[in-house]
Amino acid sequence: MKVIEHINQAKDTLISFEVLPPLKGKGINAIYNHLDPLMEFKPSFINVTYHRSETMFKKQADGSFNKIEVRKRPGTVGICAAIMQHYNVDPVPHLICGGFTREETENALIDLAFLGIDNVLVLRGDAAKNETFFEPEPGGNRYAIDLLKQVIDLNHGIYLEEEVKDPGKGTFCVGVAGYPEKHFEAPNKATDIAYLKAKVEAGAEYVVTQMFFDNQKYFDFVQSCRAAGINVPIIPGLKPITNKKQMTILPRTFHVDLPDELSAEIMKCKADADVELVGTEWLLNQSRELKKAGVPVLHYYTLGKPKVIWNVVKELV
């Protein structure tokens, strides 16, 4: 079932989760152990992130170094298939531009279609760790809208190979990312929303936001989107604060602000266990306000903290 169908048929705010593929060498039980406690909340769909390769240098016997590409978290397509079979829940694989050619993307889409997976979230992805700025893979998509258009083309039976006979058409429901506090590379919020509108006009059916910790920023973002003519569902993305290091890591990595009240309460904490309590209560209050406002879905970035998410969601359902 498509994400947009879940939303259109819902009578109340839905719940969804997002997980990371385990590090290479870990089995699928790492995912099951993470999700098992959360399944009692009957999530409508589960997102699975995609990760680009990282450049590493392996020392050779002669002292020289050999450049290799390593993907530390492989398996997105396989994990989505496992989630669908194990839990009978719709998976939403992420697709990214970075590290993938257009042909590799097309092959991934064909694999997903064979598996009966008809949802994707398309993202440009971040710059590689050894790059100052994002650089697309040679032969790959440069921007999220280019990736989006490739998915929509496949939905119309248009493949990269022009001579495909009797091409089958994809049925993908495509989501895109939105940034309540502006994408850090956009010159201003108006331009950022214009980019988002272009993606919706190109075929995106819903938006999932970057994490935020001030609901007013989400409400303002939705209002600005509606004023610009963006009328698709806008799903808030939510994440708990669980340790003091996140006070610097999250703003630096994700370019988001922490409200004064939240940061002040965290600074009073003497241990991470206390921070987790503060973060859990903050996330619960965020969730209650958003649900009361009638958001379509509460989407939780679980990312290693399923117990915190469980403690929040159990108070909502």
Side-chain angles (χ1 to χ4, degrees):
M1 190 171 177
K2 298 180 180 181
V3 168
I4 196 66
E5 292 172 338
H6 280 290
I7 293 172
N8 290 340
Q9 294 177 21
K11 296 180 180 179
D12 197 0
T13 296
L14 303 175
I15 300 294
S16 64
F17 303 120
E18 183 164 310
V19 298
L20 291 169
L23 291 168
K24 185 180 289 186
K26 302 291 184 181
I28 191 62
N29 282 335
I31 291 291
Y32 295 156
N33 292 339
H34 187 91
L35 285 174
D36 279 351
L38 298 172
M39 296 312 296
E40 70 174 272
F41 304 123
K42 297 180 174 55
S44 297
F45 52 90
I46 296 173
N47 283 35
V48 183
T49 62
Y50 222 131
H51 296 262
R52 67 180 298 165
S53 299
E54 296 179 16
T55 301
M56 303 183 71
F57 294 90
K58 186 175 182 180
K59 191 173 184 178
Q60 305 300 299
D62 62 1
S64 63
F65 288 86
N66 186 32
K67 180 180 177 181
I68 57 175
E69 297 293 324
V70 176
R71 185 167 294 132
K72 293 185 177 181
R73 294 184 183 271
T76 295
V77 173
I79 290 167
C80 285
I83 286 173
M84 185 169 61
Q85 182 179 36
H86 191 73
Y87 296 115
N88 193 29
V89 172
D90 291 306
V92 182
H94 291 193
L95 292 179
I96 60 175
C97 298
F100 299 90
T101 66
R102 286 170 57 80
E103 184 174 352
E104 288 171 330
T105 295
E106 182 173 275
N107 290 338
L109 288 166
I110 291 170
D111 287 344
L112 292 170
F114 286 160
L115 291 166
I117 296 170
D118 54 6
N119 293 292
V120 292
L121 184 76
V122 301
L123 308 157
R124 189 198 69 178
D126 299 323
K129 290 184 178 179
N130 60 320
E131 297 174 350
T132 304
F133 302 100
F134 175 83
E135 291 291 341
E137 185 77 6
N141 292 300
R142 184 173 186 84
Y143 300 109
I145 193 169
D146 301 323
L147 178 54
L148 167 67
K149 289 177 179 178
Q150 183 177 359
V151 180
I152 298 301
D153 278 348
L154 195 141
N155 280 351
H156 293 148
I158 301 171
Y159 291 75
L160 298 177
E161 182 183 343
E162 295 182 4
E163 298 303 319
V164 173
K165 295 182 179 180
D166 300 320
K169 295 182 179 181
T171 59
F172 293 103
C173 171
V174 189
V176 294
Y179 300 87
E181 298 179 58
K182 184 184 79 62
H183 190 280
F184 73 101
E185 293 180 5
N188 51 61
K189 288 186 177 181
T191 302
D192 198 33
I193 288 176
Y195 291 151
L196 180 58
K197 184 179 181 180
K199 288 187 283 189
V200 171
E201 290 175 342
E205 296 185 68
Y206 67 96
V207 176
V208 181
T209 76
Q210 174 66 280
M211 70 183 72
F212 57 90
F213 298 93
D214 180 349
N215 283 354
Q216 190 58 50
K217 291 185 177 181
Y218 168 81
F219 295 136
D220 291 344
F221 174 69
V222 171
Q223 184 177 21
S224 296
C225 287
R226 300 305 184 226
I230 299 171
N231 295 312
V232 299
I234 300 176
I235 299 171
L238 300 167
K239 178 179 172 62
I241 298 285
T242 57
N243 60 70
K244 282 191 176 182
K245 289 182 179 179
Q246 289 175 298
M247 291 184 65
T248 54
I249 292 173
L250 293 178
R252 182 176 69 245
T253 305
F254 298 100
H255 307 277
V256 296
D257 290 335
L258 271 62
D260 294 343
E261 182 182 351
L262 175 59
S263 60
E265 288 300 313
I266 292 173
M267 289 303 295
K268 295 177 185 177
C269 296
K270 295 181 179 180
D272 282 346
D274 300 322
V275 176
E276 187 169 300
L277 291 174
V278 170
T280 300
E281 186 65 21
W282 189 273
L283 181 60
L284 176 58
N285 289 334
Q286 271 194 279
S287 301
R288 283 173 170 159
E289 184 180 31
L290 290 164
K291 184 176 182 180
K292 185 177 180 181
V295 299
V297 185
L298 292 170
H299 182 70
Y300 293 98
Y301 299 114
T302 64
L303 309 185
K305 292 294 180 179
K307 182 61 176 176
V308 174
I309 303 301
W310 187 90
N311 285 333
V312 169
V313 179
K314 73 180 177 66
E315 299 295 333
L316 302 172
V317 298

